[in-house]
Amino acid sequence: MDRRWVARPGVRQTVQVTWDGQTGHERERLTSAPSAPGAPTGATEAPPGVARTRVVVHGRVQGVWFRDSCQREARNCGVSGWVRNREDGTVEAVFEGSPTAVGRLVAWCRTGPPTARVDATEVSEEPPVGESGGFAIR
């Protein structure tokens, strides 16, 4: 199960996403709760039509062309951002673009290229920052 945290002034919303690998469907459940006292409330709403999502992929995902394949998929979808290997053996990617295209890339990350073995993904939504310049491997 992935948890997506969406910042809204005064409210913390959690979208719990369960991925069904057999049918390829996501099940979402939205819950809201008031933010804790002193929690940051300065997040801004995303501009219409732009989404930004960070994905951390666990499993056998380094040394299997995951980053190169991710870059190719992102460019094909017209999404900006970046992907990198992390020291803990995971791969981290940030996608920014249309919600549909970003959603496609998040779904792709759940399987990755044929040589990868994805055990888990962590998915979190972030406020868009106007990522430009295409999609980079870091």
Side-chain angles (χ1 to χ4, degrees):
M1 176 177 17
D2 295 325
R3 292 181 187 265
R4 298 179 188 163
W5 297 93
V6 183
R8 302 279 189 261
V11 174
R12 184 182 71 205
Q13 294 180 327
T14 305
V15 179
Q16 295 178 339
V17 179
T18 305
W19 179 257
D20 184 342
Q22 291 180 339
T23 64
H25 292 96
E26 289 184 343
R27 294 189 194 104
E28 295 189 3
R29 186 177 63 144
L30 178 66
T31 59
S32 298
S35 295
T41 59
T44 60
E45 291 291 322
V50 179
R52 180 180 175 92
T53 302
R54 181 177 306 269
V55 180
V56 178
V57 186
H58 299 261
R60 187 172 54 103
V61 292
Q62 291 190 9
V64 294
W65 298 96
F66 198 101
R67 293 177 300 154
D68 186 65
S69 299
C70 184
Q71 182 184 47
R72 190 175 314 111
E73 292 290 326
R75 287 180 174 168
N76 288 340
C77 289
V79 171
S80 296
W82 51 265
V83 62
R84 69 177 177 171
N85 284 342
R86 295 186 356 172
E87 290 183 15
D88 63 0
T90 61
V91 169
E92 177 181 27
V94 171
F95 306 119
E96 188 168 315
S98 77
T100 302
V102 169
R104 269 191 231 133
L105 286 166
V106 171
W108 179 87
C109 284
R110 290 189 171 98
T111 57
T115 53
R117 185 194 75 242
V118 176
D119 296 332
T121 57
E122 299 173 41
V123 178
S124 57
E125 293 179 354
E126 302 178 347
V129 297
E131 193 85 40
S132 62
F135 196 88
I137 295 175
R138 292 186 174 174

